[in-house]
Amino acid sequence: MRALLLYLANREGFKDFSLRFKVFRNTAWRFVAGETVDDAVRAVKEINAQGIHGTLDLLGENTLSLDDARHATQEILDMLDRIKSEALDCNVSVKLTQLGLALGDESCLRNLTAIVAHARKLGNFVRVDMEDSGYTQRTLDLVCRVFREMDNVGTVLQSALYRSEKDARELIAQGIRIRLCKGAYLEPESVAFKKKSDTDASFVAITKLLLDSGMYHAIATHDEAMIKAAKEHAAARGMPRDRFEFQMLFGVRRDLQQRLAREGYQVRTYIPYGRRWYPYFMRRLAERPANVAFILRNFFKG
Ligand code: FDA
């Protein structure tokens, strides 16, 4: 099921077919704040009121022209201005294929540099999301190049990939802040663990590296076993609860997000918005069969 949904995430034909059904579109709004920046701002204000930080993601990936990449870059620059003018407690997350990575490194680097420079001027931070393993090395290379000039950029590692523990050591050595997640993409066995228990063991091992680094990193998961492992390791080291943050997705385990914030941990919600929500939504469906069952049960009503 997971493999099928991740395959369909990249299929335009299935997208056109599924968008005809109201239940499909309506279920998407559980995971996506809306289509406009006003929707996104409203969502950030709501979570800020609960003592939770935000990170905004303008949805879009695999941009096919330099013009589209520039357009997305401009929208993200405007989003940064909006975060400032609304005094939101919120940074931004970007995907390099949205900024033109598939079209070449140099134009993508220019777009990323413009975003990080603007964020720095506004006192903000940019997180570069990690996409499928075909882009891992180039993403890390571009983030490192920008980081040499400006330190308000960080990136993401996926515990499912064999290489991530080594990548974590290298990024830490350079002082680059990391968000650790399990990995949302369909990967071949040559590069990624296939068993959940192996991905989880890798997640815990990298979590310990991050917490021991003395830097401020992010542990991005809804898995209570992973969260417990992070809490226990931090407590055993006598680390104050504000030296790292937990991150979770908009619409997933709100109860857990609020509980951790009440316990005094830093919590950040990843809030996606925009019209290009289809691949993101399909990855969320792939993570949890219950989400698909809900759509199927209501399919013929919508
Ligand atoms: P796991 O999948 O084991 O789920 C644990 C529990 O969480 C489930 O039992 C369920 O209760 C709940 N849950 C998880 N997903 C759910 C869903 N979709 N709907 C409802 N409940 C759900 N990936 C990537 O490849 N690159 C990236 O840059 C990012 N960025 C990112 C940022 C943030 C803030 C988060 C939280 C996640 C990402 N991810 C990501 C996605 C990540 O790789 C992973 O696919 C999801 O977080 C699901 O994995 P969990 O760690 O939650 O564990």
Side-chain angles (χ1 to χ4, degrees), residues 76 80 91-94 112 115-120 124-128 152-155:
I76 296 166
L80 280 161
N91 61 36
V92 300
S93 292
V94 300
L112 178 62
I115 291 168
V116 177
H118 196 58
R120 185 164 71 156
N124 212 329
F125 178 80
V126 178
R127 176 80 60 183
V128 177
N152 61 318
V153 64
T155 191

Side-chain angles (χ1 to χ4, degrees), residues 130 158 179 182-184 196 221-222 284 287-288 291:
M130 191 55 78
Q158 299 150 325
R179 170 203 293 153
K182 291 192 187 180
K196 175 176 160 55
T221 181
H222 317 91
R284 302 294 77 81
E287 281 155 7
R288 196 151 185 262
N291 296 332

Side-chain angles (χ1 to χ4, degrees), residues 73-275:
T73 302
Q74 187 56 51
E75 277 195 71
I76 296 166
L77 296 174
D78 294 344
M79 182 218 290
L80 280 161
D81 287 332
R82 189 74 188 271
I83 290 172
K84 182 73 177 178
S85 69
E86 301 266 0
L88 303 179
D89 174 357
C90 189
N91 61 36
V92 300
S93 292
V94 300
K95 284 191 174 44
L96 291 191
T97 66
Q98 182 179 32
L99 305 184
L101 186 60
L103 307 166
D105 286 11
E106 294 311 311
S107 55
C108 179
L109 179 66
R110 267 196 303 280
N111 291 333
L112 178 62
T113 302
I115 291 168
V116 177
H118 196 58
R120 185 164 71 156
K121 205 172 75 193
L122 299 172
N124 212 329
F125 178 80
V126 178
R127 176 80 60 183
V128 177
D129 286 349
M130 191 55 78
E131 299 176 71
D132 67 70
S133 62
Y135 291 115
T136 308
Q137 191 58 51
R138 288 167 67 201
T139 301
L140 295 178
D141 289 346
L142 290 186
V143 169
C144 291
R145 280 173 73 180
V146 175
F147 183 82
R148 273 182 230 129
E149 309 296 322
M150 297 173 280
D151 66 1
N152 61 318
V153 64
T155 191
V156 178
L157 293 179
Q158 299 150 325
S159 72
L161 298 191
Y162 306 138
R163 59 176 290 165
S164 289
E165 189 167 332
K166 181 167 168 283
D167 288 336
R169 291 181 197 282
E170 289 177 9
L171 293 178
I172 288 169
Q174 295 177 65
I176 299 178
R177 286 164 56 180
I178 297 167
R179 170 203 293 153
L180 177 65
C181 67
K182 291 192 187 180
Y185 296 85
L186 193 59
E187 300 289 1
E189 202 163 354
S190 53
V191 300
F193 299 111
K194 285 288 127 184
K195 283 186 4 212
K196 175 176 160 55
S197 56
D198 290 335
T199 298
D200 288 356
S202 159
F203 194 99
V204 173
I206 300 173
T207 294
K208 290 179 179 171
L209 273 181
L210 302 188
L211 294 177
D212 290 345
S213 71
M215 294 164 53
Y216 188 92
H217 297 292
I219 312 296
T221 181
H222 317 91
D223 186 335
E224 297 210 45
M226 302 298 105
I227 290 168
K228 183 163 174 276
K231 282 175 161 184
E232 285 177 357
H233 191 75
R237 295 282 183 285
M239 274 177 78
R241 293 182 176 188
D242 60 0
R243 290 285 182 79
F244 63 99
E245 67 187 36
F246 289 112
Q247 294 190 353
M248 293 185 213
L249 300 176
F250 180 80
V252 180
R253 293 302 310 268
R254 288 194 179 101
D255 59 326
L256 184 55
Q257 301 187 25
Q258 289 162 5
R259 193 168 83 215
L260 288 168
R262 278 198 305 275
E263 288 172 2
Y265 292 99
Q266 300 300 306
V267 181
R268 188 177 301 276
T269 305
Y270 183 104
I271 303 174
Y273 75 97
R275 285 185 297 108

